[in-house]
Amino acid sequence: AQSVSQHNHHVILSEAASLELGCNYSYGGTVNLFWYVQYPGQHLQLLLKYFSGDPLVKGIKGFEAEFIKSKFSFNLRKPSVQWSDTAEYFCAVLPLRNEKLTFGTGTRLTIIP
Amino acid sequence: DVKVTQSSRYLVKRTGEKVFLECVQDMDHENMFWYRQDPGLGLRLIYFSYDVKMKEKGDIPEGYSVSREKKERFSLILESASTNQTSMYLCASSLSRRVFGRKIPNDYNEQFFGPGTRLTVL
């Protein structure tokens, strides 16, 4: 069965700092990868996704993620964070021949103004 | 826009009560899912359904059951609520990859989530 690791449980940054949140998965086959975000008091919503093609994917609000197949990683990045990026971020993996999404444990991001 | 709605945002129940959590989606999605979200544990899949009257166990099905009588509705049932079932419950839906005769673009499989139900069992 697949699994997802997010090693950073809580990250605290100042505004304008650069962000990188780690995500590693374990699964031997082809996968689709996702980052979801949950702002305080709001729905879980999709930030970005990788299905095929260019391993560098761009999402909403200036976020991007790079799929490195050899490292089984899909790290999330943003060059300059804002206070409004304060949220919880979840990485998820969906094997190609499966309907079940497996989530990581989440990373809580706090941005200090 | 896909809309997934859940019957309650907050619910307080007593130990031993039978609890029903309802979820409705309006985009004709085949797949529906129930998760629970707990701090430090992320989202864990309880049950999912890929068709009416079909269900499959997720990673933590113990103490729960589900019902899918109509395509748009997926219910989570706690037969006898216990305090360790206090949690945030999230419902989600997605298009299926299993639908024959219809070409589903590969990138249509994202899951859409409802607002969640925060259940407290006293």
Side-chain angles (χ1 to χ4, degrees):
Chain A
Q2 66 270 22
S3 66
V4 180
S5 297
Q6 290 181 248
H7 304 293
N8 312 108
H9 299 295
H10 189 192
V11 173
I12 302 172
L13 294 172
S14 299
E15 274 191 308
S18 65
L19 170 72
E20 181 159 1
L21 300 183
C23 172
N24 288 90
Y25 69 92
S26 65
Y27 184 77
T30 303
V31 295
N32 300 147
L33 295 157
F34 304 81
W35 275 98
Y36 281 85
V37 61
Q38 190 172 36
Y39 298 104
Q42 294 191 26
H43 293 209
L44 203 64
Q45 58 185 285
L46 186 69
L47 199 55
L48 49 78
K49 58 190 177 186
Y50 171 79
F51 282 85
S52 62
D54 189 345
L56 184 63
V57 293
K58 295 192 184 300
I60 59 172
K61 305 188 180 186
F63 285 91
E64 64 179 32
E66 185 175 12
F67 172 47
I68 303 178
K69 191 174 181 181
S70 60
K71 294 185 178 180
F72 297 89
S73 70
F74 190 55
N75 292 354
L76 181 71
R77 300 194 293 245
K78 186 171 182 177
S80 176
V81 294
Q82 301 171 304
W83 178 78
S84 58
D85 294 325
T86 293
E88 190 152 18
Y89 294 80
F90 295 92
C91 181
V93 62
L94 179 68
L96 190 63
R97 301 198 183 283
N98 202 321
E99 309 279 3
K100 287 167 53 174
L101 202 55
T102 297
F103 285 86
T105 52
T107 297
R108 187 154 64 101
L109 176 65
T110 301
I111 305 300
I112 301 168
Chain B
D1 249 7
V2 176
K3 195 162 185 188
V4 180
T5 56
Q6 295 183 229
S7 49
S8 307
R9 289 301 300 269
Y10 300 94
L11 210 51
V12 179
K13 296 291 181 181
R14 297 204 176 276
T15 301
E17 280 193 76
K18 190 169 186 175
V19 182
F20 292 88
L21 302 182
E22 303 285 339
C23 175
V24 178
Q25 51 93 5
D26 66 358
M27 278 300 291
D28 203 33
H29 283 174
E30 291 80 17
N31 299 331
M32 295 189 75
F33 306 83
W34 275 107
Y35 296 90
R36 61 178 284 177
Q37 182 180 8
D38 300 289
L41 296 177
L43 277 76
R44 293 178 292 166
L45 182 64
I46 304 171
Y47 267 97
F48 74 102
S49 168
Y50 54 86
D51 202 351
V52 175
K53 296 194 187 296
M54 305 299 286
K55 61 185 178 185
E56 285 196 27
K57 292 180 180 179
D59 300 318
I60 51 163
E62 296 78 19
Y64 303 94
S65 61
V66 290
S67 171
R68 189 140 180 229
E69 297 296 318
K70 293 185 178 182
K71 190 176 185 180
E72 67 271 18
R73 188 179 296 270
F74 192 36
S75 302
L76 180 70
I77 303 153
L78 287 66
E79 295 289 342
S80 176
S82 63
T83 54
N84 63 12
Q85 292 178 309
T86 291
S87 186
M88 172 70 88
Y89 289 88
L90 297 179
C91 176
S93 72
S94 70
L95 280 170
S96 176
R97 291 167 162 162
R98 304 183 190 197
V99 180
F100 298 104
R102 184 174 84 191
K103 188 172 182 180
I104 306 295
N106 195 32
D107 62 352
Y108 273 28
N109 296 113
E110 69 179 88
Q111 290 187 14
F112 296 85
F113 285 83
T117 296
R118 186 165 292 281
L119 172 68
T120 302
V121 182
L122 302 175

